[in-house]
Amino acid sequence: MRKAICTGSFDPVTNGHIDIFERAAKLVDELVVCVFVNKRKNFLFTIPERVELLRESTLHIDNLTVDSYDGLVTDYIKAHDINVIIRGLRSAGDFEYEYNQAQMIRHLAPETTTIFLLTSPEFLFISSSGIRELAQFRGDVHRLVPECVEVALRSKQQEK
């Protein structure tokens, strides 16, 4: 069985992420989307909220499961018998960062392969940080994020 993982902070998950998940799921038997803790970032949604938004947003992808982890990706993939990491790329800047990450992961887990999927052109401008900023100023995020994320963003705005 071919298992792969897509990792990220997904704060929030966007339609660009969903596009990558849909395409990645066609390449493997099982795809795990895993929310990893990134201590360098400030988050809008908690990890449980992000996991739930991912689950709701990906119900239509039969071979996808959602998880979360606070640790090294190499520890997670070894514990779950995963040897493929799939990463989405929007730009050359993304490639440079992701390439360096892939080399470090390969150093720690030589049996691991990283596959880069190019973001579909209609999603190139979408980023989680851009969505958070747009939502902060009550901008229109419709068609940029799944419906459940749009609702959750509105709810966060009302809390403030």
Side-chain angles (χ1 to χ4, degrees), residues 81-136:
D81 196 30
I82 297 171
N83 60 5
V84 176
I85 298 173
I86 300 178
R87 302 294 294 168
L89 299 178
R90 290 176 298 150
S91 67
D94 282 355
F95 174 77
E96 188 173 324
Y97 174 81
E98 293 295 347
Y99 179 80
N100 288 331
Q101 292 289 9
Q103 292 304 320
M104 180 59 77
I105 290 169
R106 189 147 178 98
H107 170 75
L108 297 171
E111 66 286 353
T112 303
T113 298
T114 299
I115 297 172
F116 297 121
L117 291 180
L118 299 179
T119 300
S120 296
E122 64 268 29
F123 302 117
L124 282 174
F125 67 97
I126 302 172
S127 69
S128 293
S129 59
I131 295 297
R132 287 192 310 272
E133 185 173 351
L134 190 58
Q136 177 184 356

Side-chain angles (χ1 to χ4, degrees), residues 5 8 18 21 33 36 43 51 85-86 90-91 98 110 120 128-129 134 136-137 141-142 145 149 154:
I5 189 169
I18 301 300
F21 303 156
V33 173
F36 273 75
F43 294 104
V51 166
I85 298 173
I86 300 178
R90 290 176 298 150
S91 67
E98 293 295 347
S120 296
S128 293
S129 59
L134 190 58
Q136 177 184 356
F137 292 102
V141 297
H142 187 65
V145 296
V149 173
R154 268 189 256 128

Side-chain angles (χ1 to χ4, degrees), residues 43-62:
F43 294 104
L44 178 61
F45 293 102
T46 66
I47 288 178
E49 288 172 328
R50 285 180 268 156
V51 166
E52 184 53 36
L53 289 170
L54 278 161
R55 285 188 177 133
E56 192 172 339
S57 300
T58 59
L59 286 172
H60 64 287
I61 307 172
D62 293 334

